[in-house]
Amino acid sequence: SHCPAAAAPNSQAMAAAAMAPKLSASSSTAKELTTHPIVTGSSVLAVKFAGGVMMASDTLASYGSMARFPDVQRLRQVSDGVIIGASGEMSDFDFAMRLLDELRVESECAEDGAELDAGEVHHYLTRVMYNRRNKFNPLWNQLVVAGTKDGKPVLGVVDQIGTAFEADFTATGFGKHMAVPQMREHWRADMTEGEARELLEGCMRVLFYRDCRTINRMQIAKVTATGSVVSPAYSLDTEWSLKSFKKEASPEDGSW
């Protein structure tokens, strides 16, 4: 009963038990990766105007191709002077906002009178997104950060692989293809707040007509040196009687 051969089965059992937690942890980690975004938001648009930055998005979060959640706020305040908008996976956006809340609380606990500005938030998110990309576990978002720094408007963008830049106007999602051309044509550095809003609403109207992941319920956010505000959601006026939306009946190919 004390021979080496009798001890061998116990050694094998111990080795198997030691391996089991490692396999379980590895399998659970793999399930945490966002490889296929499920609940997603579409375009976010933003432009600088004289004295600040204005941002717009719809309130739809799609479950695959289903318009599942029509009242999701994708424009949120990080602080009184910083607004963030998000396209992509909404759960990852919630996680990013949780990180920003922790950063804000840590800054406030220092009690040094300093507040996070838009430049600092943009740089922080750039590091977060690039870090997660390098771990092959990205946050599946395109984030737009708007605010002011030293009294000047700041508009920054960062995507899921850490690509970051600042611009006078920008768009994410299908807006990069359908809204940016309009912005290039109509944007001016001395735009008034009313002109900026008119431009963004015009771009959102085109996206509603052409992007099947967009609805006509939208929000506008504004940030200036005196603070920020996110509007309640409202419905955008649309027009479906335009000639380009009609197809005349004919005996050959029918009609719409």
Side-chain angles (χ1 to χ4, degrees):
S1 62
H2 293 39
C3 66
N10 292 334
S11 301
Q12 293 174 0
M14 291 174 63
M19 287 295 292
K22 294 180 181 178
L23 292 173
S24 174
S26 171
S27 133
S28 121
T29 301
K31 292 177 182 176
E32 292 174 2
L33 305 179
T34 304
T35 55
H36 299 286
I38 303 299
V39 179
T40 59
S42 188
S43 306
V44 175
L45 316 179
V47 296
K48 289 181 181 179
F49 64 92
V53 184
M54 189 171 289
M55 194 182 299
S57 80
D58 62 48
T59 61
L60 177 66
S62 300
Y63 180 74
S65 59
M66 179 190 296
R68 179 64 182 82
F69 304 103
D71 196 21
V72 175
Q73 184 171 341
R74 298 195 288 119
L75 305 181
R76 303 184 191 175
Q77 289 176 302
V78 177
S79 66
D80 189 48
V82 182
I83 290 175
I84 183 170
S87 296
E89 173 61 50
M90 289 295 97
S91 62
D92 285 348
F93 180 38
D94 289 336
F95 177 77
M97 289 302 300
R98 197 154 63 241
L99 293 180
L100 291 173
D101 285 341
E102 293 173 1
L103 183 68
R104 178 181 52 79
V105 170
E106 182 180 352
S107 175
E108 290 176 355
C109 287
E111 295 184 342
D112 56 3
E115 294 184 359
L116 292 174
D117 61 39
E120 292 167 339
V121 171
H122 183 225
H123 292 160
Y124 173 77
L125 288 173
T126 298
R127 296 303 90 208
V128 168
M129 303 297 266
Y130 187 70
N131 175 268
R132 291 291 296 260
R133 166 263 182 107
N134 286 344
K135 293 181 178 179
F136 295 93
N137 186 15
L139 298 179
W140 219 273
N141 296 113
Q142 299 82 48
L143 303 175
V144 181
V145 180
T148 59
K149 184 177 179 66
D150 300 327
K152 297 180 180 179
V154 174
L155 177 56
V157 186
V158 58
D159 67 10
Q160 67 266 30
I161 62 173
T163 303
F165 59 90
E166 294 186 13
D168 293 323
F169 52 84
T170 191
T172 64
F174 261 86
K176 289 186 290 187
H177 307 284
M178 299 181 182
V180 169
Q182 296 182 70
M183 294 177 177
R184 287 180 181 144
E185 182 177 355
H186 299 291
W187 180 83
R188 304 189 320 274
D190 61 348
M191 290 182 74
T192 65
E193 179 182 331
E195 289 172 331
R197 184 182 184 116
E198 183 180 357
L199 174 58
L200 290 178
E201 287 186 342
C203 292
M204 290 300 299
R205 189 172 288 108
V206 170
L207 286 171
F208 174 60
Y209 292 148
R210 300 297 182 185
D211 181 4
C212 62
R213 300 293 185 269
T214 302
I215 59 175
N216 67 328
R217 183 175 169 81
M218 62 173 289
Q219 286 183 291
I220 291 280
K222 178 187 71 171
V223 56
T224 64
T226 59
S228 62
V229 61
V230 179
S231 76
Y234 65 95
S235 294
L236 189 65
D237 293 333
T238 56
E239 175 61 63
W240 289 99
S241 62
L242 301 175
K243 185 177 180 180
S244 57
F245 291 139
K246 295 181 179 181
K247 184 177 181 182
E248 298 297 333
S250 67
E252 290 81 13
D253 57 1
S255 68
W256 291 110

PDB file of all heavy atoms in Angstrom, residues 67-79:
ATOM      1  N   ALA A  67     -34.832  47.922 -35.310  1.00  0.00           N
ATOM      2  CA  ALA A  67     -34.855  49.212 -34.598  1.00  0.00           C
ATOM      3  C   ALA A  67     -35.458  48.974 -33.211  1.00  0.00           C
ATOM      4  O   ALA A  67     -36.613  49.308 -32.954  1.00  0.00           O
ATOM      5  CB  ALA A  67     -35.661  50.240 -35.384  1.00  0.00           C
ATOM      6  N   ARG A  68     -34.648  48.412 -32.288  1.00  0.00           N
ATOM      7  CA  ARG A  68     -35.172  47.855 -31.040  1.00  0.00           C
ATOM      8  C   ARG A  68     -35.383  48.894 -29.939  1.00  0.00           C
ATOM      9  O   ARG A  68     -36.387  48.880 -29.254  1.00  0.00           O
ATOM     10  CB  ARG A  68     -34.203  46.771 -30.543  1.00  0.00           C
ATOM     11  CG  ARG A  68     -34.597  46.107 -29.232  1.00  0.00           C
ATOM     12  CD  ARG A  68     -35.899  45.344 -29.379  1.00  0.00           C
ATOM     13  NE  ARG A  68     -36.335  44.734 -28.128  1.00  0.00           N
ATOM     14  CZ  ARG A  68     -36.986  45.360 -27.168  1.00  0.00           C
ATOM     15  NH1 ARG A  68     -37.297  46.645 -27.322  1.00  0.00           N
ATOM     16  NH2 ARG A  68     -37.345  44.737 -26.069  1.00  0.00           N
ATOM     17  N   PHE A  69     -34.414  49.808 -29.754  1.00  0.00           N
ATOM     18  CA  PHE A  69     -34.492  50.752 -28.640  1.00  0.00           C
ATOM     19  C   PHE A  69     -34.500  52.183 -29.204  1.00  0.00           C
ATOM     20  O   PHE A  69     -33.446  52.715 -29.553  1.00  0.00           O
ATOM     21  CB  PHE A  69     -33.306  50.569 -27.693  1.00  0.00           C
ATOM     22  CG  PHE A  69     -33.177  49.160 -27.165  1.00  0.00           C
ATOM     23  CD1 PHE A  69     -32.224  48.299 -27.691  1.00  0.00           C
ATOM     24  CD2 PHE A  69     -34.010  48.704 -26.163  1.00  0.00           C
ATOM     25  CE1 PHE A  69     -32.101  47.011 -27.219  1.00  0.00           C
ATOM     26  CE2 PHE A  69     -33.897  47.409 -25.679  1.00  0.00           C
ATOM     27  CZ  PHE A  69     -32.944  46.550 -26.210  1.00  0.00           C
ATOM     28  N   PRO A  70     -35.662  52.821 -29.291  1.00  0.00           N
ATOM     29  CA  PRO A  70     -35.765  54.116 -29.977  1.00  0.00           C
ATOM     30  C   PRO A  70     -35.501  55.331 -29.087  1.00  0.00           C
ATOM     31  O   PRO A  70     -35.613  56.451 -29.563  1.00  0.00           O
ATOM     32  CB  PRO A  70     -37.221  54.122 -30.467  1.00  0.00           C
ATOM     33  CG  PRO A  70     -37.942  53.333 -29.413  1.00  0.00           C
ATOM     34  CD  PRO A  70     -36.989  52.283 -28.925  1.00  0.00           C
ATOM     35  N   ASP A  71     -35.154  55.129 -27.823  1.00  0.00           N
ATOM     36  CA  ASP A  71     -35.008  56.274 -26.924  1.00  0.00           C
ATOM     37  C   ASP A  71     -33.726  56.152 -26.093  1.00  0.00           C
ATOM     38  O   ASP A  71     -33.754  56.255 -24.866  1.00  0.00           O
ATOM     39  CB  ASP A  71     -36.234  56.377 -26.007  1.00  0.00           C
ATOM     40  CG  ASP A  71     -36.328  57.734 -25.327  1.00  0.00           C
ATOM     41  OD1 ASP A  71     -35.726  58.700 -25.839  1.00  0.00           O
ATOM     42  OD2 ASP A  71     -36.990  57.839 -24.274  1.00  0.00           O
ATOM     43  N   VAL A  72     -32.607  55.919 -26.761  1.00  0.00           N
ATOM     44  CA  VAL A  72     -31.303  55.784 -26.096  1.00  0.00           C
ATOM     45  C   VAL A  72     -30.523  57.084 -26.258  1.00  0.00           C
ATOM     46  O   VAL A  72     -30.368  57.591 -27.377  1.00  0.00           O
ATOM     47  CB  VAL A  72     -30.501  54.604 -26.687  1.00  0.00           C
ATOM     48  CG1 VAL A  72     -29.106  54.546 -26.077  1.00  0.00           C
ATOM     49  CG2 VAL A  72     -31.249  53.295 -26.453  1.00  0.00           C
ATOM     50  N   GLN A  73     -30.025  57.619 -25.159  1.00  0.00           N
ATOM     51  CA  GLN A  73     -29.272  58.875 -25.215  1.00  0.00           C
ATOM     52  C   GLN A  73     -27.815  58.571 -25.543  1.00  0.00           C
ATOM     53  O   GLN A  73     -27.093  58.007 -24.729  1.00  0.00           O
ATOM     54  CB  GLN A  73     -29.371  59.610 -23.877  1.00  0.00           C
ATOM     55  CG  GLN A  73     -28.697  60.974 -23.902  1.00  0.00           C
ATOM     56  CD  GLN A  73     -28.997  61.787 -22.654  1.00  0.00           C
ATOM     57  OE1 GLN A  73     -29.951  61.519 -21.945  1.00  0.00           O
ATOM     58  NE2 GLN A  73     -28.159  62.775 -22.395  1.00  0.00           N
ATOM     59  N   ARG A  74     -27.392  58.967 -26.724  1.00  0.00           N
ATOM     60  CA  ARG A  74     -26.011  58.727 -27.151  1.00  0.00           C
ATOM     61  C   ARG A  74     -25.131  59.966 -27.039  1.00  0.00           C
ATOM     62  O   ARG A  74     -23.959  59.930 -27.377  1.00  0.00           O
ATOM     63  CB  ARG A  74     -25.996  58.184 -28.585  1.00  0.00           C
ATOM     64  CG  ARG A  74     -26.716  56.843 -28.703  1.00  0.00           C
ATOM     65  CD  ARG A  74     -26.400  56.125 -29.991  1.00  0.00           C
ATOM     66  NE  ARG A  74     -27.016  56.739 -31.156  1.00  0.00           N
ATOM     67  CZ  ARG A  74     -26.355  57.227 -32.185  1.00  0.00           C
ATOM     68  NH1 ARG A  74     -25.029  57.226 -32.197  1.00  0.00           N
ATOM     69  NH2 ARG A  74     -27.004  57.744 -33.213  1.00  0.00           N
ATOM     70  N   LEU A  75     -25.710  61.076 -26.589  1.00  0.00           N
ATOM     71  CA  LEU A  75     -24.953  62.279 -26.265  1.00  0.00           C
ATOM     72  C   LEU A  75     -25.037  62.471 -24.751  1.00  0.00           C
ATOM     73  O   LEU A  75     -26.138  62.596 -24.211  1.00  0.00           O
ATOM     74  CB  LEU A  75     -25.523  63.505 -26.975  1.00  0.00           C
ATOM     75  CG  LEU A  75     -25.674  63.444 -28.492  1.00  0.00           C
ATOM     76  CD1 LEU A  75     -26.226  64.768 -29.008  1.00  0.00           C
ATOM     77  CD2 LEU A  75     -24.361  63.104 -29.171  1.00  0.00           C
ATOM     78  N   ARG A  76     -23.896  62.495 -24.077  1.00  0.00           N
ATOM     79  CA  ARG A  76     -23.913  62.571 -22.610  1.00  0.00           C
ATOM     80  C   ARG A  76     -22.878  63.575 -22.120  1.00  0.00           C
ATOM     81  O   ARG A  76     -21.849  63.798 -22.754  1.00  0.00           O
ATOM     82  CB  ARG A  76     -23.634  61.198 -22.000  1.00  0.00           C
ATOM     83  CG  ARG A  76     -24.604  60.119 -22.453  1.00  0.00           C
ATOM     84  CD  ARG A  76     -24.363  58.803 -21.759  1.00  0.00           C
ATOM     85  NE  ARG A  76     -25.118  57.721 -22.371  1.00  0.00           N
ATOM     86  CZ  ARG A  76     -25.020  56.445 -22.007  1.00  0.00           C
ATOM     87  NH1 ARG A  76     -24.208  56.108 -21.009  1.00  0.00           N
ATOM     88  NH2 ARG A  76     -25.735  55.521 -22.620  1.00  0.00           N
ATOM     89  N   GLN A  77     -23.171  64.146 -20.963  1.00  0.00           N
ATOM     90  CA  GLN A  77     -22.263  65.093 -20.335  1.00  0.00           C
ATOM     91  C   GLN A  77     -21.269  64.347 -19.450  1.00  0.00           C
ATOM     92  O   GLN A  77     -21.657  63.566 -18.596  1.00  0.00           O
ATOM     93  CB  GLN A  77     -23.034  66.110 -19.493  1.00  0.00           C
ATOM     94  CG  GLN A  77     -23.827  67.115 -20.304  1.00  0.00           C
ATOM     95  CD  GLN A  77     -24.642  68.043 -19.416  1.00  0.00           C
ATOM     96  OE1 GLN A  77     -25.465  67.568 -18.647  1.00  0.00           O
ATOM     97  NE2 GLN A  77     -24.413  69.336 -19.528  1.00  0.00           N
ATOM     98  N   VAL A  78     -19.985  64.607 -19.678  1.00  0.00           N
ATOM     99  CA  VAL A  78     -18.940  64.090 -18.798  1.00  0.00           C
ATOM    100  C   VAL A  78     -18.782  65.027 -17.611  1.00  0.00           C
ATOM    101  O   VAL A  78     -18.631  64.608 -16.470  1.00  0.00           O
ATOM    102  CB  VAL A  78     -17.604  63.950 -19.554  1.00  0.00           C
ATOM    103  CG1 VAL A  78     -16.497  63.474 -18.621  1.00  0.00           C
ATOM    104  CG2 VAL A  78     -17.766  62.993 -20.729  1.00  0.00           C
ATOM    105  N   SER A  79     -18.821  66.306 -17.889  1.00  0.00           N
ATOM    106  CA  SER A  79     -18.793  67.349 -16.866  1.00  0.00           C
ATOM    107  C   SER A  79     -19.546  68.539 -17.433  1.00  0.00           C
ATOM    108  O   SER A  79     -20.096  68.468 -18.540  1.00  0.00           O
ATOM    109  CB  SER A  79     -17.348  67.722 -16.506  1.00  0.00           C
ATOM    110  OG  SER A  79     -16.704  68.321 -17.618  1.00  0.00           O
TER     111      SER A  79
END
